[in-house]
Amino acid sequence: MVIAEIGTSHEGSIEKAKKLVDAASESGTDYIKFQWVYASEILHPKTGFVDLPTGKIPLYDRFKELECPPSFYKELLDYTHSKGKKFICSPFGLKSLEELLSIQPDAIKIASPELNHYKMLEALRDYRASQKEKIPVILSSGVSKMQDIEKALKITGTENVSLLHCITSYPAPEEEYNLKLITKYKKEFKIECGVSDHSLDPVLVPALSIACGGTIIEKHITLSRKTSGLDDPVALEPEQFGFMCHAVNQSLASINHYGADLGSKRIIEQISEQYGEERVKKVLGSGIKELAPSEKENYGRTNRSLHYMNDLKKGDVIKEGDIAILRTEKILTPGISPEYYDTLIGKTLTCDVSSGSGVMLSHF
């Protein structure tokens, strides 16, 4: 299936969001995806700044601008369904997850930075355990190591769960994609796999992902790369997105006609004629899981860790609200893994700490 990732490209406008749904629908996508944003679930207010065409503003404030009420997403779900497409959305914490589940989406997408948001994964697991037919879940695996993927899948389980290979870099270099990992994941985890593609080319990574056994392709869509959405610079405009869907259909036709092995070989041959054998070889990679060069520096910063939400003194006892599971991002120092959250509630500090700083075991 193809997922058109609108994300927050609507910038809070229901009219623009519907135009994006129209464009995605006409391009030939199957799923249309959004992001349910609350800034406080993602970042600490002191996380740093982002450069925009209008100037430099706090990244936290930029996310605050993208917050929308549940009614906004419910209207988009209904509008997406009216187009004959399925609605999928990413939550970023317990509040957004609960509200998203209340409108009954067709699937839940866990974005790469939330792969280690264990409290959210556990809440989703508990919800699915109460369902007779489990809602589909798609996990994205950018800026992660093999043990991170294994730990997430241990929580969610594998029933009606899919996995997307991803590089958390904007844009992501095609030559770093290592798409043979899709084949490895399918064999190792015995689930459907695909790619979340942040590269700029509309064909190279999507087509080769099918040759590697991928069955899901997610790519950002925007009305224009020149608009100010956070992901617009790496998104495809509608004409490009339609071209990608056409290339995907051609690749699928090859698989269906010739079978998996011969069809994959023919896709690789055709893409090699267009892009060159050496480049295709690099995109396919080794199939060995490791952080891509473009995302190594982001490991621990883009994904989640524990941060203090208040200035606290030596001798203070940690209570709910004093620490949070956040992305570190720009200028703060990462804390320890979110798996320690419950362990630290009720523990006593042995030093003063400042709001925003990363939580360390040595502080206790």
Side-chain angles (χ1 to χ4, degrees):
M1 67 186 192
V2 175
I3 302 171
E5 165 69 296
I6 289 173
T8 58
S9 187
H10 52 75
E11 298 187 274
S13 164
I14 194 69
E15 293 79 14
K16 185 176 182 181
K18 288 181 177 180
K19 287 180 181 178
L20 282 158
V21 170
D22 291 341
S25 179
E26 292 164 8
S27 296
T29 192
D30 304 298
Y31 278 78
I32 297 175
K33 180 179 171 299
F34 293 89
Q35 297 175 11
W36 199 302
V37 170
Y38 289 116
S40 61
E41 289 189 326
I42 303 174
L43 302 164
H44 190 279
K46 295 180 179 179
T47 198
F49 294 82
V50 60
D51 291 317
L52 296 176
T54 53
K56 183 177 286 192
I57 69 166
L59 183 58
Y60 184 88
D61 292 352
R62 184 72 180 101
F63 274 97
K64 286 291 290 184
E65 294 171 355
L66 299 171
E67 293 182 1
C68 300
S71 58
F72 178 89
Y73 299 100
K74 179 62 168 68
E75 186 172 347
L76 289 175
L77 179 146
D78 292 338
Y79 190 72
T80 298
H81 286 172
S82 76
K83 296 293 179 178
K85 305 299 178 181
K86 293 187 176 182
F87 178 94
I88 184 170
C89 189
S90 289
F92 296 96
L94 296 177
K95 179 182 178 181
S96 54
L97 174 64
E98 181 180 359
E99 292 177 348
L100 172 57
L101 291 172
S102 74
I103 68 169
Q104 298 182 312
D106 297 299
I108 302 284
K109 164 71 188 301
I110 302 299
S112 294
E114 283 63 64
L115 192 68
N116 70 336
H117 195 319
Y118 302 125
K119 298 288 282 186
M120 185 171 70
L121 294 184
E122 289 163 357
L124 180 56
R125 173 201 62 198
D126 294 344
Y127 173 83
R128 295 176 83 233
S130 69
Q131 289 187 301
K132 186 175 181 180
E133 187 175 335
K134 291 178 170 50
I135 185 171
V137 171
I138 302 171
L139 302 176
S140 203
S141 61
V143 74
S144 68
K145 298 178 181 179
M146 196 66 172
Q147 60 263 34
D148 299 319
I149 300 172
E150 292 169 345
K151 189 176 289 188
L153 284 171
K154 188 173 182 180
I155 295 172
T156 63
T158 56
E159 184 181 349
N160 222 356
V161 173
S162 306
L163 178 65
L164 298 186
H165 174 50
C166 177
I167 294 180
T168 304
S169 179
Y170 303 87
E174 290 89 353
E175 290 80 0
E176 294 184 11
Y177 252 90
N178 195 10
L179 289 174
K180 286 183 180 179
L181 277 171
I182 294 173
T183 310
K184 176 184 176 67
Y185 292 155
K186 288 191 73 169
K187 289 179 179 177
E188 187 141 338
F189 301 123
K190 295 178 174 54
I191 56 177
E192 293 298 316
C193 296
V195 66
S196 178
D197 180 19
H198 296 137
S199 69
L200 298 176
D201 192 283
V203 174
L204 184 56
V205 169
L208 289 177
S209 74
I210 294 173
C212 292
T215 53
I216 307 169
I217 295 166
E218 178 189 70
K219 209 159 172 66
H220 282 272
I221 188 171
T222 181
L223 298 177
S224 170
R225 277 185 175 169
K226 296 179 181 178
T227 48
S228 57
L230 281 174
D231 298 310
D232 287 351
V234 300
L236 298 183
E237 294 177 351
E239 185 176 353
Q240 291 178 303
F241 201 94
F243 184 57
M244 180 196 76
C245 289
H246 175 70
V248 166
N249 288 334
Q250 284 186 315
S251 298
L252 287 173
S254 183
I255 297 290
N256 292 333
H257 182 74
Y258 295 104
D261 292 340
L262 183 56
S264 295
K265 184 178 179 182
R266 288 182 67 88
I267 292 169
I268 292 171
E269 288 173 350
Q270 290 167 353
I271 297 297
S272 295
E273 289 176 6
Q274 185 176 353
Y275 291 90
E277 287 186 17
E278 279 304 308
R279 190 176 185 197
V280 167
K281 188 176 180 180
K282 288 179 181 178
V283 177
L284 292 173
S286 65
I288 299 171
K289 175 57 177 170
E290 54 189 1
L291 293 169
S294 61
E295 63 180 6
K296 279 183 179 178
E297 290 185 4
N298 291 328
Y299 188 74
R301 304 192 67 82
T302 301
N303 34 19
R304 300 296 181 120
S305 65
L306 296 181
H307 287 263
Y308 293 106
M309 298 306 295
N310 301 302
D311 292 332
L312 300 169
K313 298 291 186 181
K314 178 180 178 180
D316 284 347
V317 176
I318 297 295
K319 58 185 182 297
E320 295 277 353
D322 284 335
I323 56 177
I325 301 170
L326 301 172
R327 301 181 191 177
T328 302
E329 292 288 354
K330 302 296 183 180
I331 60 174
L332 299 176
T333 301
I336 57 176
S337 169
E339 65 191 302
Y340 291 102
Y341 181 90
D342 290 332
T343 305
L344 294 181
I345 301 300
K347 295 296 186 292
T348 303
L349 283 166
T350 57
C351 60
D352 296 349
V353 296
S354 58
S355 181
S357 59
V359 177
M360 297 295 169
L361 289 176
S362 59
H363 298 165
F364 298 88

